[in-house]
Structures are given as C-alpha cells and as structure tokens.
Amino acid sequence: QARDITGDRRMQTAQRIIKSYRQRRATVCVLAGIAALILTLAFRFVSERNLNQQRVASFTHHAVVNFDRLLLPLESTREMVSPLVGKPCDGVHLQLRKIAASLQTVRSITLVHDGILYCSSIFGDRHVPVHQLQPSLPAKTTLLVLSTDKSLLKDRPVLIVWFPTAADGQSGVMEVVNIELLSRLMLEPQPPLITRVALSVAGRHLVQGKGLLETLPLADDEKRYQRTSQFFPLSVSVSGPGATRLALQHLPSQLPLALMIGLLTSVITWFTTASRMSFAREINLGLTGREFALFCQPVLHAQSLKCVGVEILLRWHNPRQGAISPEVFIPIAEAQHLIAPLTRYVLIEVQAHRHLFPADAHFHIGINAAPSHLRDGELLKDLHRLWFVHHPVQQLIIELTERDALQDVDSRMMRELHHNGVKIAIDDFGTGNSALSWLEKLQPDILKIDKSYTAAIGTDAVNSKVTDIIIALAQRLDIELVAEGVETPQQAQYLRQQGVQSLQGYLFAQPMPIEDFPAWLAGNATPAAHDDRLAPLMTIEDHSSSS
Ligand code: C2E
Ligand code: CA
Ligand code: CA
C-alpha cells in the first residue's frame, strides 16, 4: 500500500511536469498565433494603405494628364489663330468657326484687338471691351483663368485661355473651354477613398457639383492630395478620409483571414515544438550537458556483510529545475523512448569510472535497464559497443523491473545475454502482476525482493507472509535472492536466517556518488573502525554466530 502511495505520488509528479511542459508549449503556440494574427493585420493594413495611396496618386495623375490633353491642342491652334487677330471679322469668322469646331472641347474662339473683343466664332462680329467679360484680360502673358460665363450660358463655369499676340498685351486670342461638362467626367469623386476632386487654376477652384470656389474647404478629418501639371498652371487636388483611416476601417474585413493564419500558425507551432518544448528535450539537454550523476548503493553478502557489488542509480541535478528524482524522470524517459540513451549514458560513465570498483570477477555491478531496450537486440549491441570492448573483469548484472511487461521480453535475448556472461536480475520482485510462468521462460539469475516486502518483515501485514513465499519460490527454482530496502537490523537478521544471499539498504549504505565508493569500501572492510552507523551490524553478527 505504501508503495502504491509513493507510486501514485511519483506518477502525479511526472504528470505535473509533463503538464507544465504542455502548458508552456500551449502558451508559446497561442502567442505565436496572436503574433501571426497581428502581423497579418499589420501587413494587410500597410498594403491596403499603400494601395489607397497609389489609387489616390494615380487618380490625380490621370486627371492632370487628361486636362493636359485637353489644353495641348489649344496650344497648337494658337499658331493658326494668332495671325487672324486684327483682320476684319467678316474675313476670318468662318475660319474661326472651323477651328473651334475641330476642337471638341472649345466652345468659342474670340479675337481681341486693342482691348476690344471684336470677333467670336459663335456670334461673329462683336464689340465688347474684353475686361468687361473677364476682368483679368487683356494681359501681357499667356493666361489660364477659371471663370463664369458672361455671355451664352450665364454663370456657368468656364476655363479661359488667353494668348496675347501683341507686346502691349492689348490684343490676343481668347478661347473658352467648356469645362463644366468635362469636369463632370474628370472630377467625378470615387468614394469612399476620394470624396471630392477639385481643379485649381490661379487661386480658383472648380469642384464638381459645387461650381467655382474661391477657397477649397477641408474638413478636420480629411486629407488632401494635390498634383500639378507639368505643362499648364493648373493642379488637381483630391480629398477624402485618407489612405490610413480607410485602411483602418478596412481592417475588420481582414479579421477572418488573420484568424485563419493565426490558427494555422498555432497548429504548426504545436507540431514543430513537439520535440523542442518537452520533457524529452529536457532529458536530452541533461544528457548532452552531462547533468546526470552516477550514484551507487552497495550490496552486501548477507553472512559476511562484505560488499559484493553495487547497484548504479542515476541522480539528475537539473540546473533549470533543481534536482529531479529518478522516480520521476525514469518513467517519463521510458514513456518518451529516452530510456535507452540514459542506459547508454550509464554504461559509458561506469566504464569511464571502472577504476573505482574492485577488479574482482566476483564483484558485481548492477545496472537498471528497461525491457523496451532489449527489443531487437538493441541492448546487446550497446553492451558490445560500450561495455564488452573494455573487457571489464567485474560481473555485470542487468536489472529488469517486474513492474514492466516482462512477458514481452524475448527469451532468446536472455539467452544471448547469459551467453555473454551477463546476469539478469528481476527488480522489485513481487510488485508486478504478471504470471509466474515467465520465471521459467526467462530464467533470471537473481530476484530482488522489493523493499515493500522487506518493510513488512516483523509486522503482521499480509506482505510478510508473501516475503516467505517469495523466498521459498526462489530457493525452489535455485535463483539467488537480494533483499532491497533493508533498514533495520531485525530485517537483516530475518532475511539472513531465511537464506537470502545478499542485502541492500539504508542500514548498510545510502546511495552515494560513485567517486565516494572506494572510501566507503575501505571503511566497510574494517567494520569495527567504522562509524556508529554500522554498530547494529555487529549485533547481528554476534547474534548469528552465537545461534
Ligand atoms: P530501484 O532500482 O528499485 O532502486 C532502488 C531504490 O530504492 C533507489 O531509489 C534507492 O535509493 C532506494 N533505496 C535503497 N535502499 C533503501 C532503503 O533502505 N529504504 C528505502 N526506502 N529506499 C531505499 P532511487 O535511487 O530513487 O531510484 C528509484 C528508481 O529509479 C530505481 O528503483 C530504478 O527503478 C530507477 N532508476 C534509478 N536509476 C536508474 C537507471 O540508471 N536506469 C534505470 N532504468 N532506472 C533507474
Ligand atoms: Ca534496481
Ligand atoms: Ca528495486
């Protein structure tokens, strides 16, 4: 029962560790997902904003180019019309008309002489001082003026082009462009990005639907973008909510995509972190960082109390998480298929420190192994590679715990191990729930009585009777016995009386760093000189020799 409780606690600790790794991994996945989501949104935002900026730029560019295209032919007719200025209207009227008709955008071409508009392509003969119609005319330089019609379509916006023909600027050609209709095409807003388009000429602005404005209004939350013509003193400006604000408004529609990418990233992260963010990785780090220390616990001959061997036990001083008990990391290592690398580590380290152990063929070194390591002869290969090559004189014992599925172990494998001089011990004997038939099949050399049975000695627990049965069974099958977890002189005495060959437990020695073993062995060789820890042994010795 006590064993079950510690077993449960061990499993709980292992599960807690695995769970904490899983939680950390989950956190990383969630964070990666959120990062991908934010990045996607940011990317969509930036590209949408750039696209908006491009749209605005290309819109205004096209508008300016269109106005240029409109005005350039006027520039070229200038040469045809200019020579007509000063000639009598009767003679040139028809010609004027033809030219005006050839320019689809021009409503009328008029000739001005000495400040008087005297000939119009529409009305023919006239006599109006030009500044009455357009206050800025006549002028010495070429002019472009946004104005309102004073003659035909009263107060409708027009674009006037003035080409002076005389140096004093009093004579010249005035062409009136039908800008209203054109502006309806070229200044058409494109909501939501472009809510207003304006053609600006010399401080006046033509806005589609609003007519001529002296100032261009701009709301607080509006942005304006302007482009000036290369050829004419005109510019087109567009205003609207701005590329940034619109891109922001556009973001919610990108959320499904961003969520999908975020989710995908999380899933991918989950799978790619499987090997990195797990306890398995922690064990691998421990192996490469040589964080595992080898301890050994002496096994004593029950009669002479001489040390006849050691069992190698691992200790993990994990610098990241502190000491981790083998009761915790061994089951996890087995579950995560990392027990073989751990065993190889033990084999290598023991060989590197073999000078610490007596060079005696009767001295045995017990190494714990997992039955899964025996599959496909893997352990045997490792032994050949890491153990037998050194030709160790000591007796190797492989301890296989009975809690594992020993019935799956291939008996041929056992014969191979025996053939190579390896002894097999069944660890924690009595704790498994396997049938005893495999005892015959596997033919182990040693049974290690589990410490729960040793603890039951002298009590009236059922286990104390089972201890006797185990001992009888081993003797009947001629299998050597080692009792584990011997803590009291009474237990030691009883076990020895029952004929158990070897004892192991805190009564004699706790597991110690293998480097300390030679000193311990030297002290143990002369028990009388040793500290009071060994005092009970003497009483057993005395007792047995007197009986
Ligand atoms: P185990 O093979 O049964 O090892 C004996 C365990 O009993 C050791 O615990 C030892 O410290 C403890 N023990 C020894 N004498 C006494 C005693 O008088 N009283 C009590 N209460 N306990 C005693 P440890 O070192 O914590 O190892 C626990 C288990 O971890 C081992 O049980 C073994 O199954 C596994 N283990 C340890 N090292 C290795 C290894 O290198 N390879 C493998 N595969 N398993 C290992
Ligand atoms: Ca063991
Ligand atoms: Ca054991």
Side-chain angles (χ1 to χ4, degrees), residues 35-250:
L37 185 129
I38 291 172
L39 274 176
T40 308
L41 287 180
F43 177 77
R44 293 301 301 146
F45 166 74
V46 170
S47 59
E48 182 71 18
R49 193 192 58 188
N50 290 350
L51 197 69
N52 286 344
Q53 283 168 346
Q54 267 170 29
R55 277 188 199 135
V56 167
S58 90
F59 180 91
T60 42
H61 171 76
H62 277 106
V64 168
V65 165
N66 280 334
F67 281 115
D68 284 348
R69 271 202 206 128
L70 187 83
L71 295 175
L72 281 170
L74 270 65
E75 186 83 31
S76 62
T77 57
R78 182 184 178 172
E79 283 164 31
M80 279 194 269
V81 183
S82 293
L84 306 181
V85 176
K87 292 190 179 164
C89 194
D90 287 347
V92 297
H93 174 229
L94 203 65
Q95 210 178 338
L96 272 189
R97 212 176 197 166
K98 272 188 190 161
I99 296 169
S102 74
L103 300 166
Q104 290 159 352
T105 52
V106 165
R107 184 194 299 166
S108 70
I109 303 178
T110 52
L111 305 179
V112 177
H113 189 67
D114 284 336
I116 303 295
L117 191 157
Y118 76 96
C119 190
S120 156
S121 63
I122 301 175
F123 301 109
D125 261 332
R126 293 197 76 185
H127 189 87
V128 192
V130 73
H131 75 265
Q132 270 180 24
L133 296 173
Q134 294 302 331
S136 51
L137 297 182
K140 284 182 183 172
T141 56
T142 305
L143 267 191
L144 205 58
V145 186
L146 267 179
S147 182
T148 43
D149 198 358
K150 301 288 189 297
S151 51
L152 202 58
L153 295 162
K154 281 243 180 305
D155 294 331
R156 290 293 177 78
V158 285
L159 180 65
I160 289 165
V161 189
W162 168 255
F163 299 121
T165 52
D168 63 359
Q170 290 299 304
S171 303
V173 180
M174 182 178 93
E175 303 189 11
V176 178
V177 178
N178 220 346
I179 199 74
E180 198 188 20
L181 201 74
L182 291 164
S183 70
R184 222 168 271 168
L185 295 171
M186 289 193 256
L187 305 181
E188 180 74 47
Q190 286 192 350
L193 184 60
I194 297 164
T195 51
R196 188 169 29 209
V197 190
L199 170 68
S200 307
V201 177
R204 280 192 175 163
H205 316 281
L206 177 64
V207 177
Q208 215 269 98
K210 291 243 163 97
L212 270 187
L213 303 173
E214 292 295 327
T215 53
L216 205 55
L218 185 72
D220 282 348
D221 55 353
E222 274 189 337
K223 291 272 183 301
R224 182 180 292 160
Y225 179 84
Q226 190 170 9
R227 195 178 178 104
T228 308
S229 161
Q230 278 177 283
F231 306 103
F232 302 99
L234 65 84
S235 65
V236 172
S237 56
V238 299
S239 47
T244 308
R245 190 143 69 95
L246 217 65
L248 271 177
Q249 285 170 0
H250 190 242

Side-chain angles (χ1 to χ4, degrees), residues 300-306 489 492-493 496 508 524-525 527-528 534-547:
L300 288 84
H301 187 255
Q303 298 295 333
S304 67
L305 291 181
K306 287 256 167 61
Q493 184 191 358
R496 200 167 44 162
F508 313 108
N524 193 56
L534 282 178
L537 299 186
M538 305 318 293
T539 43
I540 304 167
E541 198 86 286
D542 290 349
H543 185 81
S544 62
S545 52
S546 63
S547 62

